[in-house]
Amino acid sequence: MMENVFLPKLAKIVKNEKMTAMEHFLRLQLLDKKTAEEFQYNLGQFIEISIMGVGEAPFSICSMQNQKYLLDLCIRSGGRVTSAILRLGEGSLVGVRGPYGNGFPLKEMEGSNLLLVAGGLGVAPLRSILQYSLKNRAKYRDITFFYGIRTYDTMLFRDEFNSLLAGGDESGCKFYLSYEDPKDEQCLLLEAEYSDRCMSGVVSKLFERTEISPKDTYAIICGPSIMYKFVGQELTKRDVPPERILISLERRMRCGIGKCGNCIIGDGSSIRYVCKDGPVFTYWDALHTKGMI
Ligand SMILES: Cc1cc2nc3c(=O)[nH]c(=O)nc-3n(C[C@H](O)[C@H](O)[C@H](O)COP(=O)(O)OP(=O)(O)OC[C@H]3O[C@@H](n4cnc5c(N)ncnc54)[C@H](O)[C@@H]3O)c2cc1C
Ligand code: FES
């Protein structure tokens, strides 16, 4: 008999930790050992998490694959499903479907500089690629990370990013931080200490701080939709080809596998399903698909 593609696998919440007022870090472990072993994913893919009687929602996997088959997620509480997930204690069970979507072209990016640009919660899928590229440091040239936050209180994975900031180039990654509230005291302290790597303003301002080598760089952007336009323009000004600028999109989804049509964007012959053709698209796609950014 054919397997029902909508049937979720059971996973246990092994960690549920508050990171900020809105976001939690969640670590899941698939219950069945064989399922866990077969659960191979590309960085940048997403999974559907369900709670019986409440519903289902897509989330980016925010860690690289590890030998213990654990899945890390960073979830912002917003509506019915997200707030119900975040209320669950450690040891509770959820359903998992996936992994879905295309993910980042890791092989294609080997030998290039990587520029990762994250705004707010957009850091979730980019953390996985940061972990991977630092673990496989020899495969990439310069790794630069731009992270834009509103205030220090909204900064996700604070310990990890503070340690990149403190580590400077020795950390393997040139990490830059921008913050939007110019009066935020903790951000001002960070700026006083790391004035070359931390500044107030929106994330696209960080381009003032570093040189980009256009033909050897892959840029990946993830954050609020307005960011794609502004960061895309900065990269275009610096001659980074639109095929080497990748964006990771979020759209309302239902099935996650190209069946319901809920996530379709574009028109005419350039219709794209965010769930199965994406969520990673090139900036070239964005410029040629109606409603993508
Ligand atoms: C590929 C992909 C990856 C994602 N990764 C993450 C992640 O790593 N962490 C995370 O916290 N969230 C992520 N999301 C968003 C997450 O799926 C939604 O926040 C979730 O579906 C909301 O469900 P809910 O039942 O809690 O909210 P609902 O009760 O359905 O809605 C609450 C409010 O949120 C708005 N909303 C719901 N879904 C979206 C959406 N996709 N985009 C914009 N607004 C929305 C609704 O319009 C409404 O105003 C991702 C979405 C996609 C498509
Ligand atoms: S979410 Fe159903 S087709 Fe994409």
Side-chain angles (χ1 to χ4, degrees):
M1 210 165 62
M2 275 229 307
E3 197 192 344
N4 180 348
V5 287
F6 291 105
L7 205 61
K9 311 284 186 203
L10 281 180
K12 184 164 75 176
I13 298 180
V14 292
K15 205 182 245 188
N16 180 353
E17 271 179 8
K18 197 173 167 83
M19 300 172 95
T20 68
M22 299 281 287
E23 288 98 0
H24 282 215
F25 174 80
L26 226 74
R27 180 164 283 164
L28 304 181
Q29 186 164 41
L30 287 157
L31 279 195
D32 176 55
K33 193 160 177 282
K34 185 165 171 286
T35 307
E37 280 166 3
E38 287 168 1
F39 194 93
Q40 299 293 322
Y41 60 89
N42 299 328
L43 304 186
Q45 284 192 292
F46 65 94
I47 51 177
E48 291 275 350
I49 305 279
S50 55
I51 305 191
M52 287 269 276
V54 181
E56 201 179 35
F59 301 100
S60 306
I61 306 171
C62 70
S63 54
M64 59 182 269
Q65 187 109 33
N66 63 45
Q67 280 159 354
K68 292 185 178 149
Y69 311 110
L70 299 168
L71 297 170
D72 287 355
L73 307 169
C74 173
I75 300 187
R76 174 175 291 170
S77 172
R80 236 158 40 93
V81 177
T82 46
S83 45
I85 295 174
L86 298 190
R87 277 197 300 270
L88 293 175
E90 291 171 3
S92 304
L93 298 183
V94 291
V96 172
R97 285 197 294 125
Y100 297 134
N102 53 0
F104 303 117
L106 288 181
K107 269 260 161 258
E108 190 185 310
M109 296 189 297
E110 281 182 12
S112 301
N113 300 311
L114 292 185
L115 170 65
L116 310 176
V117 185
L121 185 58
V123 82
L126 295 196
R127 176 183 180 250
S128 69
I129 194 150
L130 177 66
Q131 280 187 347
Y132 176 86
S133 54
L134 289 178
K135 183 107 199 269
N136 295 277
R137 192 64 194 81
K139 290 186 179 173
Y140 302 96
R141 290 160 70 179
D142 283 354
I143 302 171
T144 307
F145 201 108
F146 287 177
Y147 183 22
I149 55 174
R150 276 186 289 111
T151 59
Y152 190 77
D153 289 347
T154 64
M155 184 173 176
L156 298 164
F157 302 106
R158 225 172 275 161
D159 292 349
E160 293 174 23
F161 289 124
N162 276 335
S163 113
L164 289 180
L165 204 49
D169 287 356
E170 303 296 304
S171 66
C173 162
K174 296 175 180 177
F175 179 77
Y176 295 82
L177 183 73
S178 70
Y179 58 98
E180 282 179 37
D181 178 358
K183 296 199 182 102
D184 187 284
E185 285 179 16
Q186 278 148 310
C187 288
L188 286 166
L189 285 175
L190 279 183
E191 186 172 350
E193 199 168 351
Y194 309 106
S195 55
D196 54 334
R197 296 278 167 101
C198 179
M199 69 191 291
S200 77
V202 291
V203 71
S204 47
K205 275 200 87 177
L206 290 171
F207 281 97
E208 293 168 14
R209 296 292 166 101
T210 186
E211 294 280 308
I212 308 289
S213 161
K215 66 176 172 34
D216 311 318
T217 298
Y218 269 93
I220 308 183
I221 317 169
C222 191
S225 41
I226 185 83
M227 222 183 93
Y228 298 114
K229 198 166 142 220
F230 288 111
V231 175
Q233 282 169 357
E234 291 294 337
L235 289 162
T236 306
K237 264 194 248 164
R238 286 161 179 80
D239 293 326
V240 179
E243 299 80 5
R244 281 175 169 254
I245 303 172
L246 306 169
I247 59 176
S248 179
L249 283 192
E250 261 192 33
R251 281 294 187 279
R252 294 302 312 245
M253 284 186 188
R254 230 171 237 151
C255 68
I257 50 174
K259 301 222 182 271
C260 70
N262 231 54
C263 67
I264 288 178
I265 44 176
D267 59 0
S269 59
S270 67
I271 274 179
R272 314 297 290 268
Y273 289 75
V274 177
C275 65
K276 70 178 172 109
D277 301 327
V280 179
F281 293 95
T282 65
Y283 191 56
W284 190 94
D285 291 323
L287 296 174
H288 294 87
T289 312
K290 191 173 174 204
M292 190 175 274
I293 56 172

